[in-house]
Amino acid sequence: MSKETKPGVLCCIGDIHGYFTKLQNLWRNLESAIGASDFASATVIFLGDYCDRGPNSREVIQFLVSLPFRYPDQKHVFLAGNHEFGLAGFLGLVEAPSDGSGFETTWKGFEEREEEEGWYKGEGYEKMHLQARMWGGTTRERFDAYGIEFMGSVYDAAPTFESYGVPHGSYDLMNAVPDEHKKFLSNLVWVHEEDDVCLETKDGIKTYRLIAVHAGLEEGKDIEEQLKFLKAKETKFPKIMGLSGRKNVWNIPKELSENNNDEKGTILVSGHHGRLHMDGLRFIIDEGGSAPEVNPLAAIILLPSIKIVRDTDLL
């Protein structure tokens, strides 16, 4: 990179979960931290989980839909989170498995959990992916594993239904969600790659490959096969690990480590895990966790120096 070339600004925004005011505050803080001119041409990657838990899922999605019109010189990347996958599946917006099987095959082997997790059994359930039925259902359990009360379903989807003006679990959501929101949900990508992302190191500014995926990539499995699967948005499995995995996607796979044959090195950035975690080139940006109403909404900026910005910052 020549001295005359100024690296572009890239920022990644963690899980929003229906908190519109937090998103507005974070957006203003990002502009202040980056500067209006550079912010206007920045690459902004949203790491998924825009809906559920918070009261304003509809407003959040409308904000995201409006960004390409309000900031035409920015590059926007909208990743699907496991919550959007559930919502999109409920609305019939995800493609059927490529092998020709129906979504009912994703239920097999989990039927003993149907009553406990309260899978959706209303109109249209026969054509829904397992995660969509879990998303739109009503759980028997009152509290999750962390002692936090469920909001309707195991996905805490009741506030999303309510933000669109329909009762939780109602098939009327199909008609309540505007077409532009359905198009947005249909177009969400499951993984995104950037080349030549600049990062400041002790040895100066270096360029890296960046992979952004909501939960992460599995260790011990071929990376290129995983990327191919995610780019194709393959729905034949009951659980999409890149969107929903936990311990198995926490670390950066060894194949992507800077010490491996990949001389450039790869940054792997995700949300999903309820933590702000920075370990080498593995970035997890989800400070809100399962209590986003009290915890901050966070973003990471590569300027190319690393900076964390929160909605609670006074900038």
Side-chain angles (χ1 to χ4, degrees):
M1 180 182 300
S2 68
K3 292 183 179 179
E4 292 79 16
T5 303
K6 182 179 179 181
V9 175
L10 184 146
C11 55
C12 301
I13 296 178
D15 301 22
I16 301 164
H17 278 306
Y19 284 92
F20 182 49
T21 300
K22 286 177 175 286
L23 175 58
Q24 288 180 303
N25 291 341
L26 178 66
W27 193 256
R28 285 192 291 266
N29 284 345
L30 285 170
E31 185 167 17
S32 296
I34 295 170
S37 177
D38 287 338
F39 185 65
S41 59
T43 295
V44 186
I45 301 174
F46 292 86
L47 297 173
D49 280 4
Y50 316 121
C51 63
D52 302 339
R53 296 183 181 156
N56 309 118
S57 292
R58 177 175 183 149
E59 290 83 354
V60 167
I61 292 175
Q62 183 60 44
F63 178 91
L64 301 179
V65 166
S66 74
L67 286 181
F69 304 97
R70 295 173 54 206
Y71 295 85
D73 294 326
Q74 283 183 345
K75 176 182 177 181
H76 304 105
V77 177
F78 303 108
L79 289 174
N82 55 319
H83 287 257
E84 285 74 53
F85 181 66
L87 168 58
F90 189 88
L91 296 174
L93 302 175
V94 298
E95 294 290 333
S98 62
D99 60 8
S101 61
F103 284 131
E104 68 274 6
T105 61
T106 66
W107 315 341
K108 293 180 179 178
F110 300 92
E111 290 89 346
E112 74 278 2
R113 291 162 40 179
E114 182 172 358
E115 294 303 319
E116 178 185 348
E117 294 176 342
W119 299 356
Y120 175 78
K121 293 182 179 179
E123 185 177 350
Y125 85 92
E126 302 92 344
K127 297 181 180 180
M128 290 184 183
H129 190 280
L130 169 61
Q131 300 302 320
R133 293 190 63 195
M134 291 170 62
W135 182 86
T138 302
T139 179
R140 283 185 173 183
E141 296 293 325
R142 185 176 175 187
F143 298 96
D144 66 16
Y146 303 98
I148 298 172
E149 192 166 8
F150 282 119
M151 299 179 182
S153 73
V154 293
Y155 270 98
D156 300 319
T160 297
F161 281 90
E162 292 161 8
S163 76
Y164 285 100
V166 298
H168 170 63
S170 172
Y171 193 71
D172 291 340
L173 185 68
M174 194 71 66
N175 296 319
V177 175
D179 287 343
E180 63 177 351
H181 291 202
K182 291 178 179 177
K183 182 179 179 180
F184 172 81
L185 292 165
S186 296
N187 290 337
L188 295 176
V189 297
W190 288 11
V191 66
H192 176 73
E193 295 179 82
E194 290 275 342
D195 288 321
D196 299 328
V197 172
C198 295
L199 194 61
E200 198 170 61
T201 74
K202 58 182 176 58
D203 299 317
I205 294 177
K206 296 181 64 175
T207 59
Y208 294 89
R209 175 192 188 192
L210 180 141
I211 299 175
V213 57
H214 180 64
L217 297 174
E218 292 184 84
E219 295 184 89
K221 293 190 176 181
D222 184 86
I223 297 299
E224 293 308 316
E225 282 298 312
Q226 291 187 67
L227 293 176
K228 180 181 178 181
F229 171 89
L230 291 166
K231 288 174 183 177
K233 301 204 284 191
E234 178 58 67
T235 59
K236 64 182 178 181
F237 296 112
K239 188 174 184 180
I240 314 300
M241 288 302 172
L243 277 57
S244 302
R246 290 293 181 184
K247 291 181 180 179
N248 58 334
V249 298
W250 175 266
N251 295 316
I252 189 167
K254 292 180 181 178
E255 301 93 309
L256 298 180
S257 73
E258 198 169 7
N259 297 323
N260 204 278
N261 293 330
D262 181 5
E263 293 182 3
K264 181 182 285 189
T266 299
I267 300 166
L268 179 60
V269 61
S270 303
H272 182 63
H273 294 279
R275 294 273 299 279
L276 181 64
H277 175 77
M278 313 276 287
D279 182 15
L281 297 177
R282 179 60 168 133
F283 303 155
I284 295 175
I285 315 298
D286 180 21
E287 207 162 27
S290 57
E293 73 279 5
V294 294
N295 293 335
L297 173 60
I300 185 172
I301 309 174
L302 307 183
L303 293 165
S305 58
I306 294 175
K307 185 177 180 67
I308 300 295
V309 174
R310 300 172 174 87
D311 73 292
T312 51
D313 295 339
L314 300 176
L315 299 180

